[in-house]
Amino acid sequence: MRRLLTLLAFAALCAPLAQAQVHSDQETKADIERHRAMAAAHTAAAQCLESGKDAQQCMKELQAACKNLAIGKYCGMKHAH
């Protein structure tokens, strides 16, 4: 419980900092392109699974497509199973 309260307090302190960040038009355009590339990688992962390939193979392809694009090994997204 104490850990949760500490985390919530930290998040509350950081929230204004995150909102205050302003991007230039060029940075915004780069963000848009990254989001489109991540969406394309996830679409390809869905198509991979639909084709009947092994889930591990599709995950490897997703990770390769997202290298240097998103944070984490799930290309910026992770869902529950």
Side-chain angles (χ1 to χ4, degrees):
M1 183 68 167
R2 186 175 184 186
R3 189 176 190 184
L4 176 62
L5 291 175
T6 302
L7 180 62
L8 290 174
F10 181 76
L13 289 172
C14 291
L17 296 174
Q19 293 172 354
Q21 189 177 25
V22 178
H23 293 287
S24 68
D25 286 345
Q26 186 177 10
E27 290 169 324
T28 300
K29 288 178 184 179
D31 284 346
I32 291 167
E33 290 305 312
R34 276 192 294 272
H35 281 291
R36 286 190 174 134
M38 285 187 274
H42 280 273
T43 298
Q47 291 170 341
C48 179
L49 291 169
E50 285 176 331
S51 74
K53 288 184 182 178
D54 181 55
Q56 288 181 339
Q57 178 62 35
C58 294
M59 181 58 69
K60 285 181 184 178
E61 291 177 17
L62 175 63
Q63 289 171 344
C66 289
K67 188 171 183 161
N68 300 321
L69 181 64
I71 298 171
K73 63 182 185 177
Y74 298 104
C75 197
M77 296 179 69
K78 184 177 179 183
H79 56 84
H81 283 267

